[in-house]
Amino acid sequence: MTTPSVRLLAYARPMRGRLALAALAGAGTTLAGIALLGTSGFLLARAAEHPSVTALTVAVVAVRALGIGRGVLRYAERLVSHDAAFRVLGDLRVRVYRRLERLAPAGLGRFRSGDLLARLVSDVDATQDLFLRGVLPPVAAALAGGATVAACAFLLAPAAGVLAVGLLVAGVVVPWTTAVLARRAAHRASAARGTLSARTVDVFTGVADLTAFGAQDRALAALDAAEADLAAHTRRNAFAQAVGAGLAVLTSGATVWGVLVLGVAAVEDGTLGRVPLAALALTALAAFEAVAPLPAAAARLAETAAAARRITGVLDTPEPVREPVLPLPAPERPVTLRLRGMSARYAADGPWAIRDLDLDLTPGRRVALVGASGAGKSTVAAVLLRFLDAERGSVTLNGRDLADYASDDVRAVVGGCPQDPHVFDSTVRENLRLAHPTATDDDLRRAAADARLLPWIESLPQGWDTPVGAHGARMSGGERQRLALARALLADPAVLVLDEPTAHLDPAARTALTADLLRATRDRTVLLITHDLTGLDQVDEIVVLDRGRVVQHGPHDALDRHDGPYLHLTR
Ligand SMILES: Nc1ncnc2c1ncn2[C@@H]1O[C@H](COP(=O)(O)OP(=O)(O)OP(=O)(O)O)[C@@H](O)[C@H]1O
Ligand SMILES: [Mg+2]
């Protein structure tokens, strides 16, 4: 068992009482089965000697009790073990989900979306087998096997020794061999399952692009290849399990044969009766029922180890932002944000996305952030919204370190629209109301009017109740952008961060929307990230970024007079 599995087992600590009970019930079930066969052997052999019926009464009652008890114990074991496993599973799923929530959006770059889905769903599901098939059967087998060997030792010690060796081979050596054979296949199958889900999700979400470029056949072929890969690894895993099952049968046959040879010799010596011999032989045969599930358990352990590794991979991904243990009280309006020498990047050893940035967002001040693609503009927005922590320098909100506030409290006062806004598969109204669930229809109309979305909404036959389709498929790019802007205006944060609000618009609409935007935000604190330089004479300061550094800043008039980067952007 590898460390990730042990870690997942540690999460089950609160359930240890139930798990111990399940192991005891499992051992009881197996012991009842073994005793049933042993007693039956005794009963048959004794009956052949034609004793009086009273001599058989105890054995007859025992057979009945064991037969019924076995079923009851099995039911109890299933009930308790599944209950415990599902409780652990639920807890684990919540842990993974919470982690994903903390990682999103800046920390998820290393995962593929379909693969994440596989980790959250199938890998977490697979860990139930860690308990149900990986941990409980060996514990139950050890208890039941030990008790059986001890009982046999009363009848014939050497035979008990042979049985002990046989059980160890079938319970330890065979499962270990199976695990070695299965480990690589299991690890690869788990990875292949992730790849298959990632490719499937990719094909579905990218179907328009794939069809447009005539690439759908290639994409489907890649999907087939991923599927074949998964099937091959699964088959190899099944082969390992089949080998394990065969070896287990071989071992049990050889052991029973050894017990019989010793038993028959003992009967000839007169040290063992013929009736106990029958009980002994059948008990030895039945004892292998205890270890029968172990090769499969070992293979499942190998598989769940792979799943556990992928789960701990998510749990161990460093958080892009650290939540304070004791957050400051939620900030009050008005809000002032100050950045001094701020540097940030997406990976600890990666290139800087933004370096040494100074920025002041005092109440009512509007700042424009401009620069070429990749200059670091959206990264600044991510830092202000606490999706990403600054690594150097300081970022303060009302004089206190931004990192000392709970990130949700920060996002309650700093908000806006992201560069790639998401439109939900719902109506126009619901998509807007998302930003402000208690907004009145008048509020919605005002925000839509400010974002120049109202004429479009009113032109629709279903108006505000028009469904927009998945990802806003029934809207144009510009309409989606304006919807996101209306959402930001409706939320009315103290500091409005707008990342490229006029993207996807034609030049005339862009100029018009920028003018409206600047009018609608006259008294607000705004960070306007834009490629569009018209109307920037109305903002208080323009910051020009180039490859993560500030290369020029000041009001439009000052920048416009010097031959510098700003003028070259304009040209
Ligand atoms: N999630 C991420 N993980 C790793 N690197 C990223 C991530 N997002 C952005 N980067 C990198 O950080 C740098 C700055 O990106 P950023 O998105 O801030 O640029 P931008 O100025 O907003 O560009 P654009 O005008 O194209 O939107 C780029 O080099 C980019 O490759
Ligand atoms: Mg950007």
Side-chain angles (χ1 to χ4, degrees):
M1 221 187 303
T2 47
T3 334
S5 303
V6 174
R7 253 180 73 190
L8 295 193
L9 283 180
Y11 292 149
R13 203 169 296 144
M15 289 295 124
R16 61 180 170 231
R18 284 168 206 259
L19 290 170
L21 202 62
L24 279 179
T29 310
T30 315
L31 274 177
I34 296 169
L36 183 63
L37 210 59
T39 316
S40 308
F42 168 83
L43 194 59
L44 290 173
R46 186 81 180 94
E49 292 178 339
H50 303 294
S52 70
V53 175
T54 43
L56 299 176
T57 316
V58 175
V60 168
V61 171
V63 165
R64 275 195 208 139
L66 289 168
I68 295 169
R70 185 158 79 139
V72 172
L73 282 170
R74 162 121 317 160
Y75 179 74
E77 183 252 331
R78 289 288 144 102
L79 196 67
V80 178
S81 63
H82 281 73
D83 176 56
F86 285 135
R87 279 169 199 260
V88 178
L89 210 69
D91 176 58
L92 188 63
R93 210 184 294 289
V94 170
R95 264 174 212 268
V96 174
Y97 184 81
R98 290 240 166 92
R99 188 74 196 179
L100 290 178
E101 198 181 46
R102 310 260 306 251
L103 291 177
L108 294 181
R110 16 182 308 224
F111 301 108
R112 297 164 298 176
S113 67
D115 186 38
L116 270 184
L117 193 65
R119 287 176 200 240
L120 182 61
V121 180
S122 16
D123 285 338
V124 173
D125 273 347
T127 57
Q128 66 175 289
D129 282 353
L130 177 65
F131 301 101
L132 296 180
R133 300 205 200 151
V135 176
L136 292 177
V139 176
L143 291 174
T148 309
V149 169
C152 289
F154 278 112
L155 294 175
L156 189 65
V162 169
L163 180 60
V165 172
L167 287 178
L168 281 178
V169 170
V172 179
V173 179
V174 171
W176 184 79
T177 316
T178 314
V180 169
L181 287 175
R183 186 170 300 140
R184 259 187 38 184
H187 182 63
R188 295 203 179 150
S190 187
R193 208 169 293 124
T195 306
L196 182 61
S197 329
R199 291 221 174 128
T200 309
V201 170
D202 251 6
V203 166
F204 273 110
T205 50
V207 68
D209 295 70
L210 290 173
T211 315
F213 290 106
Q216 66 271 49
D217 288 344
R218 258 175 293 145
L220 288 178
L223 208 56
D224 280 344
E227 177 134 37
D229 199 34
L230 176 60
H233 295 308
T234 311
R235 216 173 298 130
R236 222 159 289 153
N237 198 10
F239 172 74
Q241 301 206 24
V243 169
L247 285 176
V249 172
L250 188 69
T251 315
S252 83
T255 307
V256 173
W257 180 75
V259 168
L260 268 177
V261 168
L262 289 173
V264 168
V267 169
E268 282 170 359
D269 288 357
T271 42
L272 187 70
R274 278 180 300 178
V275 173
L277 173 63
L280 180 69
L282 284 180
T283 303
L285 181 64
F288 283 87
E289 195 185 303
V291 293
L294 297 191
R300 288 308 287 159
L301 271 185
E303 258 176 68
T304 53
R309 200 168 312 127
R310 286 159 47 80
I311 291 170
T312 49
V314 173
L315 295 177
D316 291 344
T317 301
E319 282 180 32
V321 286
R322 275 172 297 282
E323 290 292 326
V325 183
L326 286 173
L328 292 173
E332 308 225 336
R333 296 173 184 233
V335 163
T336 300
L337 282 165
R338 267 183 226 287
L339 280 66
R340 289 289 173 273
M342 190 277 281
S343 303
R345 53 183 165 184
Y346 290 89
D349 48 356
W352 292 102
I354 184 84
R355 270 180 292 183
D356 289 329
L357 176 71
D358 291 347
L359 189 71
D360 284 296
L361 285 166
T362 49
R365 187 175 160 87
R366 296 188 297 184
V367 177
L369 204 53
V370 298
S373 186
K377 306 183 294 295
S378 298
T379 306
V380 176
V383 169
L384 293 181
L385 288 161
R386 281 221 75 202
F387 287 143
L388 182 68
D389 265 344
E391 195 174 314
R392 296 193 188 154
S394 70
V395 184
T396 59
L397 194 161
N398 290 352
R400 310 292 296 267
D401 193 342
L402 191 70
D404 289 342
Y405 293 99
S407 54
D408 281 341
D409 287 343
V410 170
R411 286 189 285 269
V413 291
V414 184
C417 69
Q419 188 163 6
D420 300 307
H422 187 80
V423 178
F424 292 86
D425 188 2
S426 177
T427 61
V428 176
R429 187 194 311 277
E430 289 314 312
N431 261 294
L432 252 188
R433 191 165 275 169
L434 168 85
H436 189 348
T438 56
T440 63
D441 281 353
D442 275 347
D443 297 334
L444 297 182
R445 284 179 64 83
R446 204 170 316 119
D450 284 346
R452 296 202 151 221
L453 190 66
L454 199 54
W456 172 71
I457 298 174
E458 287 178 339
S459 75
L460 295 166
Q462 287 173 268
W464 285 90
D465 296 313
T466 309
V468 294
H471 299 278
R474 283 178 230 158
M475 304 173 78
S476 77
E479 285 153 4
R480 277 198 289 272
Q481 202 72 39
R482 278 183 266 201
L483 179 72
L485 180 60
R487 220 190 251 164
L489 294 174
L490 185 67
D492 193 26
V495 179
L496 197 53
V497 179
L498 301 172
D499 197 349
E500 309 270 5
T502 60
H504 304 293
L505 297 183
D506 58 74
R510 198 186 293 176
T511 309
L513 181 59
T514 307
D516 283 354
L517 187 71
L518 290 167
R519 184 156 25 79
T521 61
R522 188 154 298 148
D523 306 313
R524 296 184 191 230
T525 320
V526 180
L527 181 70
L528 175 63
I529 296 171
T530 183
H531 269 117
D532 181 28
L533 303 177
T534 56
L536 291 194
D537 51 331
Q538 292 184 52
V539 302
D540 299 294
E541 188 181 10
I542 298 166
V543 176
V544 187
L545 288 181
D546 184 30
R547 279 164 287 174
R549 285 189 186 278
V550 176
V551 287
Q552 210 178 9
H553 66 99
H556 172 81
D557 291 344
L559 298 190
D560 209 30
R561 275 199 299 273
H562 295 286
D563 181 26
Y566 182 66
L567 278 191
H568 289 284
L569 280 177
T570 330
R571 297 293 119 88

